[in-house]
């Protein structure tokens, strides 16, 4: 099935972010890449904020799909390494996502963009909490583990690694070099 025009625009916008950083994302730059006029962009997106929000929503759906790829009944020492590796591979492949998270969440004055990022973060957090609650019910994690705090620690670990990735000019190295952070998380949850 051929992607619709809006989807192609979003793909090109993400490519611009990957190549030039968030500063390179303008309506005119995307229009130029699409080989049509800047006014034509406004038939698909109201403004740059609308474009960025659509990118965040696209990423959010991708992250949800990624999470759902893994067996929700697998024990934590199986589930988390698979999910962790998949997240890092996703962020390495679509490195513009890293810029989007760091730049937009930290420096954007648009409440609508911050709200959309919050929705994305809450979705990720709730999926992990839900998984941990079920694992706790199955007796696979320590009974005194705070699942909400544990989900935040997991997401914080992923964020720290993606920040290192961003600051090292996209040289994430091997996934094995990040494994000790995951192992520390798992020891705190599983024991």
């Amino acid at each position: 099935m051929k992607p619709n025009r809006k989807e192609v625009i979003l793909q090109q916008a993400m490519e611009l972010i990957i190549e030039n950083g968030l500063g390179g994302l303008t309506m005119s730059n995307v229009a130029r890449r699409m080989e049509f006029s800047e006014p034509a962009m406004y038939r698909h997106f109201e403004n740059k904020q609308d474009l960025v929000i659509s990118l965040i929503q696209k990423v959010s759906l991708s992250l949800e799909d990624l999470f759902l790829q893994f067996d929700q009944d697998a024990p934590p020492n199986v589930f988390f390494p698979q999910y962790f590796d998949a997240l890092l591979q996703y962020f390495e492949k679509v490195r513009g996502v890293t810029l989007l998270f760091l730049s937009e969440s930290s420096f954007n004055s648009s409440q609508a963009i911050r709200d959309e990022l919050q929705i994305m973060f809450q979705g990720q957090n709730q999926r992990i909490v839900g998984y941990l609650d079920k694992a706790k019910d199955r007796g696979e994690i320590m009974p005194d583990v705070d699942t909400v705090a544990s989900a935040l620690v997991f997401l914080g670990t992923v964020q720290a690694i993606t920040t290192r990735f961003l600051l090292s000019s996209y040289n994430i190295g091997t996934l094995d070099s990040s494994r000790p952070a995951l192992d520390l998380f798992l020891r705190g949850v599983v024991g």
Side-chain angles (χ1 to χ4, degrees):
M1 185 166 113
K2 186 177 177 181
N4 66 34
R5 175 80 41 127
K6 192 171 183 174
E7 187 61 32
V8 173
I9 292 169
L10 289 172
Q11 290 170 352
Q12 291 302 314
M14 187 60 79
E15 286 298 316
L16 273 169
I17 293 171
I18 290 169
E19 293 168 11
N20 305 311
L22 204 54
L25 181 65
T26 65
M27 297 296 270
S28 62
N29 285 347
V30 177
R32 197 171 307 115
R33 275 189 97 116
M34 293 295 298
E35 298 180 355
F36 54 66
S37 68
E38 185 175 346
M41 282 290 296
Y42 293 97
R43 282 184 278 212
H44 303 286
F45 298 96
E46 200 173 302
N47 51 36
K48 182 179 174 181
Q49 175 179 293
D50 185 34
L51 177 63
V52 170
I53 287 172
S54 293
L55 281 169
I56 293 167
Q57 291 168 343
K58 179 179 172 58
V59 168
S60 187
L61 288 173
S62 295
L63 291 173
E64 181 177 357
D65 289 346
L66 186 67
F67 181 84
L68 295 174
Q69 286 179 21
F70 301 101
D71 180 4
Q72 305 299 300
D73 294 322
N77 60 347
V78 172
F79 175 82
F80 279 109
Q82 292 173 343
Y83 182 48
F84 183 79
D85 286 353
L87 278 172
L88 294 183
Q89 288 170 359
Y90 175 78
F91 290 132
E92 186 170 29
K93 179 181 172 194
V94 188
R95 63 183 188 258
V97 170
T98 308
L99 288 168
L100 195 62
F101 287 164
L102 293 176
S103 299
E104 291 300 325
S105 63
S106 301
F107 304 111
N108 198 295
S109 61
S110 165
Q111 187 62 46
I113 290 174
R114 286 196 316 273
D115 289 347
E116 200 61 45
L117 285 164
Q118 182 68 12
I119 290 167
M120 180 176 61
F121 174 77
Q122 286 174 339
Q124 280 291 96
N125 192 58
Q126 288 171 352
R127 283 187 286 279
I128 295 167
V129 169
Y131 169 82
L132 287 168
D133 285 340
K134 289 177 186 173
K136 193 176 202 178
D137 290 344
R138 294 188 306 260
E140 296 171 344
I141 65 174
M142 295 182 293
D144 61 339
V145 164
D146 180 333
T147 57
V148 173
S150 296
L152 287 173
V153 168
F154 178 79
L155 289 173
T157 301
V158 172
Q159 181 66 41
I161 291 167
T162 56
T163 300
R164 182 180 72 188
F165 171 60
L166 176 64
L167 296 174
S168 67
S169 301
Y170 308 112
N171 182 12
I172 203 165
T174 65
L175 294 174
D176 291 338
S177 69
S178 301
R179 187 65 60 156
L182 176 65
D183 291 343
L184 187 61
F185 164 77
L186 284 172
R187 278 195 305 274
V189 171
V190 178

